[in-house]
Amino acid sequence: MERLLVSPSPHLHTKTSTKSLMRDVVIAMIPAVIVSVLFYGWSELLVLGVSVASCVLLEYLITKYLLKRPCTVGDMSAVVTGILLALNLPATTPWWVVFIGAVVAIGVAKMTFGGLGQNLFNPAIVGRVFLLISFPTYMTDWTRPQGFIGGGLDGLSGATPLGLAKEGGVAAIEGLDYMDMLFYNIGGSAGELSAIAILAGFVYLLARRVIRPYITLSILATVAVFSGIFWAINPAEYTDPVFNLLTGGVLLGSVFMATDYVTSPMSNVGGIIFGVGIGIITMLIRYFGAYPEGMSFAILIMNSVVPLINKVCHAKKYGRA
Amino acid sequence: MMKTFSIGGIHPSDSKISKDCKIEVLPVPSKVFISVAQHLGAPATPVVKAGDQVKVGQVIAEPAGFISAYVHSSVSGTVKSVGPRKDLAGNNMTHIEIDVEGDEWIEGVDLSDTLVTAIPEDNKAILEKIKMCGVVGLGGATFPAHVKLCPPPGKVAECLILNGAECEPYLTSDNRIMIERSKEIVIGAAIMKQVLGGCKTVIGIEENKPEAIAAMTAAVAELQKTAKGYDGISVMTLKKKYPQGGEKQLIDAVMGRQVKSMGLPIDVGAVVQNVATSLAVYEAVQKNIPLITNVMTITGDCLPMEKQHNYKFRIGMPLSYIAEYAGGVPEQAAKIISGGPMMGKAIANMDATTVKGSSSLLYLTAEQTVRGVESACIRCGKCAEACPMGLEPFLLQKYARNNMMDELEENAVQDCIECGCCLYSCPANIPLLDIIRIAKGDVIRIIRTRK
Ligand code: SF4
Ligand code: SF4
């Protein structure tokens, strides 16, 4: 009572902190993590463990010894990057390749730009794309390791559905059961195994008001409309919308990576432009480009346009119609 | 569907702990110190000197300019001194010190409980009374009420909005007067409406005050049935969202119109007055009682229920006296706020005294109010999402830290209403409003010198 605190208003503050937001993102990824571990077993656990541990350790070492700044590991953003990177790799990736991915993600994409909040590109995607270009064999090895359940998922082992479609055309993916894919059977990176698991994370993030829905929904809508038009014109040549939504990291990317605060636009309108851009670039790469999927590249390309989008798109101001 | 304003806003817990505490009258202390700066604009000029005898309701300071207001004595007794004394922020301001003797009122004041529902016809006389009784806006800005009730030539009032939103957490004084003095408030509204030319009148109340909504609705209905001049008054329930009680936000919520940047409510045909102001208008016009009392809330999570109060106070009472009377300052209180927790002022000096616009003693604990350590902006956009003016606080603070005045003006820093939504929402604890407030002052100064 003797010494009253005096400071300017407001005198109350939200309980939400950077750390609590990151914790929520981690929680939102848990369903996808669980599914991937269940079906891909020990090797997936190893990828996850190495990825998270190296991301956190690298951030700690870099802030402490290289930048000599207060350590930022406590905000949990490195954990998010670690899990995201792991979910974006095949479960068979050797541990040292995962480590290199973490070095690129944290060391290059995040810390050289000045740490959380300053980076232009999503660290996890930079890590993944670097590995994709440097170690294409490991990164496209889709053999399925032994999981804890669902022993040897049959269906399309050995290659991703998108890869099959790229090489063999629409005929190659005939007989795919989309209902299956919804739950557990999406060939590709570990994290995209189950569409439902990713969507559960999306719902959680929305409910906790961690993210706004515009970016994710505009990506999904664009992919659906774009592929819908081509498919309607020529179903023998172009893959259908459902297939395109469920494969190649579209869900994982649109829910967890394109929505990254730091590397996406601030305004809702900006978010929609960003999402539509990602959707179009992804589909252009898939239909006409050299890579079967395209989501990672699309996000990186649009990341680089974010400063421009932010310059042009502003929130609607009161009384300034 | 319930209405609310269209841009931004936040939903802090409303913490209306004292909402059911009936208004109690504070006994008069042995001494009061009445400030001459109780309103927006020039401080009033004292017209009494040490040794003068004064009665309750007597003018002791006169307006010093067009935007200024009369100040009346809240007690009877002897003027002890006229001189500087510290206000609640710790700044010196002229106060009139009065030793209390008895409780003798000036002539012509009607202190009975009789409700006077007939509205006088002469608008000029009404305005004069409002002015002579020192009525100012009691919603926070304390702008002289009669000035607001005289729209500049060429402007027409289309809607009088009575602000009963009380959107600040913890505050419950407006809630209580709407429940206990509902008819008086409606009569005050009808008087103002008549002065404004008989425009539509809407009493906006947030949904979290169902008792007030019911009482006000019943009061309107009854007065419409039994007296003349009450047509076109209605109660509107608003969705709970802070800062609904902000003038610009309330106009948007009630009328669906937005005031232009640097413009006035009357530009879109709106006049906004607080419910407490309406009560003061009633007392001034119908009862000849000058504005020397108001209701304040004593509250906080660290106060037990029996120490939560809504008090009718007189101006000039030392805050320490009120706190003592209410049962003392709780041990856990780290900060005491006068006003709401979002826009109120932290009290530096408990020896300061009540003014017309006093609305609370709010006790906050260290855990509630001490800010976290600032970290890097994560560009989450939560500040922009929360801003009811549609500004981009993360951008403004960046420009402000780099002294980029042109960019600040282009991005409308001058439109900031200092509601605190941005700072409240920022997960990185960036002192957004602290920085923006200073920048806003600078930019407004630049704009003024240009004209
Ligand atoms: S204080 Fe100003 S900038 Fe911050 S939210 Fe309120 S109006 Fe917007
Ligand atoms: S709320 Fe804070 S962290 Fe988020 S964008 Fe605004 S300033 Fe940055």
Side-chain angles (χ1 to χ4, degrees):
Chain A
M1 167 59 201
E2 278 72 42
R3 313 180 83 221
L4 285 177
L5 269 175
V6 177
S7 58
S9 63
H11 307 286
L12 292 180
H13 199 270
T14 173
K15 296 229 156 44
T16 307
S17 63
T18 302
K19 185 175 174 175
S20 77
L21 288 168
M22 295 298 163
R23 194 191 305 126
D24 272 340
V25 176
V26 170
I27 292 172
M29 291 190 290
I30 285 177
V33 167
I34 290 178
V35 174
S36 68
V37 170
L38 281 180
F39 285 95
Y40 295 151
W42 289 108
S43 50
E44 175 60 13
L45 266 181
L46 184 71
V47 171
L48 271 162
V50 170
S51 181
V52 173
S54 12
C55 281
V56 172
L57 191 70
L58 283 163
E59 178 152 330
Y60 175 75
L61 294 176
I62 292 173
T63 44
K64 180 137 193 211
Y65 295 107
L66 230 56
L67 302 175
K68 303 206 171 20
R69 283 199 318 215
C71 177
T72 48
V73 168
D75 67 23
M76 286 188 69
S77 62
V79 178
V80 170
T81 302
I83 299 178
L84 263 183
L85 178 65
L87 291 182
N88 270 286
L89 301 176
T92 48
T93 317
W95 67 267
W96 56 273
V97 173
V98 178
F99 179 74
I100 293 174
V103 171
V104 173
I106 296 291
V108 180
K110 188 175 177 186
M111 292 329 248
T112 48
F113 281 87
L116 182 64
Q118 306 291 317
N119 48 304
L120 184 58
F121 299 103
N122 183 311
I125 305 188
V126 174
R128 173 191 147 84
V129 167
F130 178 83
L131 296 182
L132 194 62
I133 295 167
S134 318
F135 304 97
T137 26
Y138 293 123
M139 291 296 290
T140 50
D141 173 10
W142 303 113
T143 354
R144 296 195 160 169
Q146 180 60 45
F148 296 126
I149 62 167
L153 286 177
D154 38 38
L156 300 151
S157 51
T160 69
L162 265 180
L164 286 174
K166 189 98 227 164
E167 278 156 28
V170 173
I173 55 162
E174 228 162 84
L176 259 184
D177 186 343
Y178 291 157
M179 270 325 273
D180 271 5
M181 293 173 71
L182 211 47
F183 290 100
Y184 66 88
N185 204 6
I186 301 177
S189 304
E192 10 169 353
L193 201 56
S194 160
I196 292 288
I198 297 171
L199 290 176
F202 182 50
V203 171
Y204 178 79
L205 291 178
L206 288 181
R208 297 278 300 162
R209 313 194 91 232
V210 175
I211 59 168
R212 286 166 278 171
Y214 306 99
I215 294 175
T216 309
L217 294 184
S218 58
I219 294 176
L220 298 182
T222 307
V223 166
V225 169
F226 194 108
S227 56
I229 293 172
F230 278 80
W231 179 65
I233 295 171
N234 189 353
E237 167 112 19
Y238 299 106
T239 46
D240 66 82
V242 181
F243 175 80
N244 278 296
L245 285 176
L246 290 178
T247 55
V250 163
L251 280 179
L252 194 64
S254 63
V255 171
F256 292 116
M257 306 208 278
T259 55
D260 170 29
Y261 290 145
V262 181
T263 57
S264 65
M266 306 290 284
S267 60
N268 294 342
V269 188
I272 291 170
I273 296 173
F274 181 71
V276 170
I278 291 174
I280 291 177
I281 296 172
T282 303
M283 289 315 299
L284 287 176
I285 295 175
R286 284 189 179 181
Y287 281 168
F288 310 110
Y291 279 90
E293 46 123 301
M295 190 69 183
S296 306
F297 291 104
I299 295 179
L300 285 189
I301 292 170
M302 289 310 289
N303 280 164
S304 69
V305 197
V306 166
L308 194 68
I309 297 179
N310 280 339
K311 259 220 169 84
V312 182
C313 300
H314 294 277
K316 202 166 142 266
K317 290 189 175 59
Y318 179 103
R320 287 177 180 249
Chain B
M1 220 182 76
M2 253 184 276
K3 289 197 184 174
T4 185
F5 55 98
S6 52
I7 302 175
I10 55 173
H11 299 89
S13 152
D14 67 357
S15 306
K16 305 279 191 188
I17 312 169
S18 53
K19 69 178 169 38
D20 297 324
C21 303
K22 293 211 171 65
I23 299 171
E24 303 156 75
V25 179
L26 275 174
V28 180
S30 57
K31 214 189 237 309
V32 296
F33 302 86
I34 301 173
S35 169
V36 297
Q38 310 217 11
H39 46 264
L40 198 86
T45 317
V47 292
V48 290
K49 54 184 190 312
D52 286 358
Q53 291 290 314
V54 292
K55 292 180 180 170
V56 188
Q58 181 177 331
V59 172
I60 51 173
E62 285 182 345
F66 180 58
I67 313 253
S68 187
Y70 282 96
V71 178
H72 305 76
S73 178
S74 59
V75 295
S76 60
T78 313
V79 176
K80 186 83 184 297
S81 70
V82 177
R85 189 182 154 86
K86 286 191 167 42
D87 65 10
L88 59 78
N91 302 321
N92 272 329
M93 180 45 69
T94 304
H95 284 68
I96 298 164
E97 175 185 4
I98 304 169
D99 280 332
V100 180
E101 293 143 18
D103 196 37
E104 198 186 327
W105 286 68
I106 49 165
E107 300 283 299
V109 171
D110 175 2
L111 291 172
S112 71
D113 283 342
T114 330
L115 201 67
V116 185
T117 56
I119 301 165
E121 269 162 31
D122 185 353
N123 285 343
K124 262 226 175 84
I126 292 177
L127 280 169
E128 189 62 15
K129 264 195 186 172
I130 292 175
K131 181 177 165 190
M132 292 307 292
C133 285
V135 181
V136 298
L138 297 174
T142 59
F143 192 80
H146 65 278
V147 180
K148 246 196 195 175
L149 292 173
C150 301
K155 305 263 155 91
V156 184
E158 292 170 52
C159 183
L160 167 64
I161 302 174
L162 223 53
N163 184 356
E166 200 165 50
C167 60
E168 279 265 17
Y170 293 99
L171 301 191
T172 56
S173 51
D174 286 352
N175 177 53
R176 284 323 301 179
I177 61 168
M178 285 193 282
I179 295 168
E180 298 180 36
R181 314 283 310 269
S182 29
K183 284 193 194 124
E184 290 91 331
I185 294 172
V186 177
I187 298 170
I191 293 170
M192 292 191 280
K193 158 185 142 81
Q194 177 188 305
V195 171
L196 289 168
C199 58
K200 179 175 92 171
T201 300
V202 177
I203 307 168
I205 309 175
E206 282 195 344
E207 57 186 321
N208 59 349
K209 291 178 272 296
E211 256 192 284
I213 293 167
M216 293 297 288
T217 311
V220 171
E222 192 181 325
L223 284 162
Q224 282 176 341
K225 237 189 292 162
T226 56
K228 268 217 308 257
Y230 294 88
D231 304 330
I233 302 181
S234 60
V235 174
M236 184 186 278
T237 306
L238 302 167
K239 223 166 120 185
K240 175 185 165 275
K241 185 159 83 165
Y242 177 87
Q244 190 104 251
E247 203 167 53
K248 295 197 165 88
Q249 280 61 43
L250 197 60
I251 292 169
D252 185 19
V254 171
M255 301 171 73
R257 295 183 190 173
Q258 298 188 346
V259 183
K260 288 249 145 22
S261 173
M262 305 296 269
L264 293 171
I266 192 69
D267 298 341
V268 294
V271 174
V272 182
Q273 294 283 11
N274 187 268
V275 285
T277 317
S278 193
L279 180 56
V281 165
Y282 167 83
E283 300 212 308
V285 177
Q286 309 291 74
K287 299 279 201 174
N288 293 323
I289 305 175
L291 180 51
I292 51 167
T293 64
N294 194 1
V295 177
M296 71 194 291
T297 303
I298 317 293
T299 188
D301 293 296
C302 52
L303 273 185
M305 203 55 220
E306 70 274 7
K307 288 190 182 171
Q308 309 268 343
H309 297 282
N310 289 297
Y311 281 141
K312 181 171 178 179
F313 66 89
R314 295 197 193 183
I315 57 172
M317 290 179 170
L319 299 176
S320 49
Y321 160 79
I322 298 173
E324 220 38 64
Y325 182 82
V329 175
E331 198 125 305
Q332 307 96 298
K335 204 193 233 181
I336 309 178
I337 316 289
S338 169
M342 294 303 295
M343 291 185 79
K345 287 200 167 64
I347 300 173
N349 167 30
M350 282 295 277
D351 292 329
T353 54
T354 49
V355 289
K356 294 172 182 176
S358 294
S359 60
S360 78
L361 285 181
L362 164 59
Y363 302 112
L364 295 178
T365 62
E367 192 204 340
Q368 277 180 297
T369 190
V370 174
R371 293 185 191 162
V373 181
E374 179 179 352
S375 54
C377 170
I378 54 169
R379 311 175 49 76
C380 63
K382 292 197 181 291
C383 51
E385 207 183 342
C387 179
M389 296 305 288
L391 310 182
E392 290 153 303
F394 61 90
L395 203 64
L396 297 177
Q397 65 100 19
K398 205 171 80 188
Y399 289 148
R401 290 195 211 230
N402 294 304
N403 266 316
M404 296 160 79
M405 291 300 157
D406 294 340
E407 284 79 2
L408 281 166
E409 187 179 341
E410 257 163 55
N411 287 282
V413 75
Q414 62 274 24
D415 289 1
C416 170
I417 57 167
E418 304 187 22
C419 65
C421 289
C422 51
L423 202 159
Y424 175 89
S425 307
C426 178
N429 289 311
I430 297 172
L432 294 162
L433 177 54
D434 298 0
I435 300 167
I436 290 169
R437 195 183 270 127
I438 296 169
K440 172 189 164 185
D442 292 346
V443 167
I444 288 185
R445 258 191 300 284
I446 292 172
I447 294 176
R448 291 237 170 92
T449 51
R450 209 182 291 141
K451 276 180 187 155

PDB file of all heavy atoms in Angstrom, chain B residues 31-44:
ATOM      1  N   LYS B  31     -13.771  17.856   6.384  1.00  0.00           N
ATOM      2  CA  LYS B  31     -13.062  18.797   5.521  1.00  0.00           C
ATOM      3  C   LYS B  31     -13.133  18.282   4.088  1.00  0.00           C
ATOM      4  O   LYS B  31     -13.025  17.081   3.862  1.00  0.00           O
ATOM      5  CB  LYS B  31     -11.592  18.782   5.971  1.00  0.00           C
ATOM      6  CG  LYS B  31     -10.840  20.094   5.861  1.00  0.00           C
ATOM      7  CD  LYS B  31      -9.390  19.805   6.128  1.00  0.00           C
ATOM      8  CE  LYS B  31      -8.765  20.581   7.266  1.00  0.00           C
ATOM      9  NZ  LYS B  31      -8.910  21.997   7.286  1.00  0.00           N
ATOM     10  N   VAL B  32     -13.346  19.186   3.139  1.00  0.00           N
ATOM     11  CA  VAL B  32     -13.258  18.766   1.728  1.00  0.00           C
ATOM     12  C   VAL B  32     -12.285  19.688   0.994  1.00  0.00           C
ATOM     13  O   VAL B  32     -12.031  20.815   1.426  1.00  0.00           O
ATOM     14  CB  VAL B  32     -14.639  18.788   1.013  1.00  0.00           C
ATOM     15  CG1 VAL B  32     -15.596  17.788   1.625  1.00  0.00           C
ATOM     16  CG2 VAL B  32     -15.234  20.187   1.001  1.00  0.00           C
ATOM     17  N   PHE B  33     -11.752  19.180  -0.100  1.00  0.00           N
ATOM     18  CA  PHE B  33     -10.861  19.965  -0.965  1.00  0.00           C
ATOM     19  C   PHE B  33     -11.430  19.857  -2.378  1.00  0.00           C
ATOM     20  O   PHE B  33     -11.381  18.789  -2.991  1.00  0.00           O
ATOM     21  CB  PHE B  33      -9.446  19.392  -0.952  1.00  0.00           C
ATOM     22  CG  PHE B  33      -8.824  19.333   0.416  1.00  0.00           C
ATOM     23  CD1 PHE B  33      -9.056  18.229   1.251  1.00  0.00           C
ATOM     24  CD2 PHE B  33      -8.006  20.362   0.875  1.00  0.00           C
ATOM     25  CE1 PHE B  33      -8.483  18.163   2.510  1.00  0.00           C
ATOM     26  CE2 PHE B  33      -7.432  20.292   2.139  1.00  0.00           C
ATOM     27  CZ  PHE B  33      -7.667  19.201   2.958  1.00  0.00           C
ATOM     28  N   ILE B  34     -12.004  20.946  -2.867  1.00  0.00           N
ATOM     29  CA  ILE B  34     -12.686  20.879  -4.151  1.00  0.00           C
ATOM     30  C   ILE B  34     -11.814  21.457  -5.263  1.00  0.00           C
ATOM     31  O   ILE B  34     -11.404  22.621  -5.202  1.00  0.00           O
ATOM     32  CB  ILE B  34     -14.044  21.617  -4.079  1.00  0.00           C
ATOM     33  CG1 ILE B  34     -14.899  20.955  -2.986  1.00  0.00           C
ATOM     34  CG2 ILE B  34     -14.756  21.580  -5.418  1.00  0.00           C
ATOM     35  CD1 ILE B  34     -16.193  21.688  -2.693  1.00  0.00           C
ATOM     36  N   SER B  35     -11.525  20.620  -6.255  1.00  0.00           N
ATOM     37  CA  SER B  35     -10.659  21.041  -7.361  1.00  0.00           C
ATOM     38  C   SER B  35     -11.420  21.974  -8.294  1.00  0.00           C
ATOM     39  O   SER B  35     -12.631  21.846  -8.474  1.00  0.00           O
ATOM     40  CB  SER B  35     -10.189  19.816  -8.131  1.00  0.00           C
ATOM     41  OG  SER B  35      -9.575  20.207  -9.334  1.00  0.00           O
ATOM     42  N   VAL B  36     -10.705  22.918  -8.911  1.00  0.00           N
ATOM     43  CA  VAL B  36     -11.349  23.807  -9.881  1.00  0.00           C
ATOM     44  C   VAL B  36     -11.239  23.218 -11.294  1.00  0.00           C
ATOM     45  O   VAL B  36     -11.733  23.796 -12.242  1.00  0.00           O
ATOM     46  CB  VAL B  36     -10.746  25.234  -9.859  1.00  0.00           C
ATOM     47  CG1 VAL B  36     -10.985  25.876  -8.508  1.00  0.00           C
ATOM     48  CG2 VAL B  36      -9.266  25.212 -10.223  1.00  0.00           C
ATOM     49  N   ALA B  37     -10.577  22.067 -11.420  1.00  0.00           N
ATOM     50  CA  ALA B  37     -10.441  21.423 -12.731  1.00  0.00           C
ATOM     51  C   ALA B  37     -11.172  20.088 -12.699  1.00  0.00           C
ATOM     52  O   ALA B  37     -10.573  19.046 -12.493  1.00  0.00           O
ATOM     53  CB  ALA B  37      -8.974  21.225 -13.076  1.00  0.00           C
ATOM     54  N   GLN B  38     -12.487  20.120 -12.874  1.00  0.00           N
ATOM     55  CA  GLN B  38     -13.292  18.905 -12.787  1.00  0.00           C
ATOM     56  C   GLN B  38     -13.916  18.582 -14.132  1.00  0.00           C
ATOM     57  O   GLN B  38     -14.837  17.803 -14.240  1.00  0.00           O
ATOM     58  CB  GLN B  38     -14.414  19.086 -11.766  1.00  0.00           C
ATOM     59  CG  GLN B  38     -13.936  19.619 -10.453  1.00  0.00           C
ATOM     60  CD  GLN B  38     -14.680  19.014  -9.300  1.00  0.00           C
ATOM     61  OE1 GLN B  38     -15.424  18.055  -9.463  1.00  0.00           O
ATOM     62  NE2 GLN B  38     -14.484  19.539  -8.121  1.00  0.00           N
ATOM     63  N   HIS B  39     -13.461  19.275 -15.158  1.00  0.00           N
ATOM     64  CA  HIS B  39     -14.093  19.170 -16.466  1.00  0.00           C
ATOM     65  C   HIS B  39     -13.026  19.320 -17.533  1.00  0.00           C
ATOM     66  O   HIS B  39     -11.922  19.793 -17.272  1.00  0.00           O
ATOM     67  CB  HIS B  39     -15.111  20.308 -16.617  1.00  0.00           C
ATOM     68  CG  HIS B  39     -14.545  21.629 -16.181  1.00  0.00           C
ATOM     69  ND1 HIS B  39     -14.747  22.129 -14.903  1.00  0.00           N
ATOM     70  CD2 HIS B  39     -13.730  22.506 -16.801  1.00  0.00           C
ATOM     71  CE1 HIS B  39     -14.096  23.278 -14.779  1.00  0.00           C
ATOM     72  NE2 HIS B  39     -13.464  23.523 -15.921  1.00  0.00           N
ATOM     73  N   LEU B  40     -13.389  18.939 -18.762  1.00  0.00           N
ATOM     74  CA  LEU B  40     -12.492  19.157 -19.884  1.00  0.00           C
ATOM     75  C   LEU B  40     -12.476  20.652 -20.178  1.00  0.00           C
ATOM     76  O   LEU B  40     -13.497  21.312 -20.081  1.00  0.00           O
ATOM     77  CB  LEU B  40     -13.039  18.398 -21.094  1.00  0.00           C
ATOM     78  CG  LEU B  40     -12.037  18.152 -22.204  1.00  0.00           C
ATOM     79  CD1 LEU B  40     -11.264  16.881 -21.902  1.00  0.00           C
ATOM     80  CD2 LEU B  40     -12.753  18.024 -23.531  1.00  0.00           C
ATOM     81  N   GLY B  41     -11.338  21.201 -20.517  1.00  0.00           N
ATOM     82  CA  GLY B  41     -11.254  22.622 -20.843  1.00  0.00           C
ATOM     83  C   GLY B  41     -10.548  23.405 -19.744  1.00  0.00           C
ATOM     84  O   GLY B  41      -9.897  22.830 -18.867  1.00  0.00           O
ATOM     85  N   ALA B  42     -10.712  24.721 -19.764  1.00  0.00           N
ATOM     86  CA  ALA B  42      -9.978  25.582 -18.838  1.00  0.00           C
ATOM     87  C   ALA B  42     -10.458  25.378 -17.402  1.00  0.00           C
ATOM     88  O   ALA B  42     -11.660  25.317 -17.147  1.00  0.00           O
ATOM     89  CB  ALA B  42     -10.173  27.039 -19.243  1.00  0.00           C
ATOM     90  N   PRO B  43      -9.519  25.282 -16.440  1.00  0.00           N
ATOM     91  CA  PRO B  43      -9.922  25.198 -15.031  1.00  0.00           C
ATOM     92  C   PRO B  43     -10.755  26.431 -14.673  1.00  0.00           C
ATOM     93  O   PRO B  43     -10.529  27.514 -15.204  1.00  0.00           O
ATOM     94  CB  PRO B  43      -8.588  25.221 -14.276  1.00  0.00           C
ATOM     95  CG  PRO B  43      -7.570  24.752 -15.255  1.00  0.00           C
ATOM     96  CD  PRO B  43      -8.056  25.212 -16.605  1.00  0.00           C
ATOM     97  N   ALA B  44     -11.728  26.241 -13.778  1.00  0.00           N
ATOM     98  CA  ALA B  44     -12.590  27.353 -13.398  1.00  0.00           C
ATOM     99  C   ALA B  44     -11.828  28.334 -12.492  1.00  0.00           C
ATOM    100  O   ALA B  44     -10.811  27.987 -11.908  1.00  0.00           O
ATOM    101  CB  ALA B  44     -13.818  26.809 -12.676  1.00  0.00           C
TER     102      ALA B  44
END
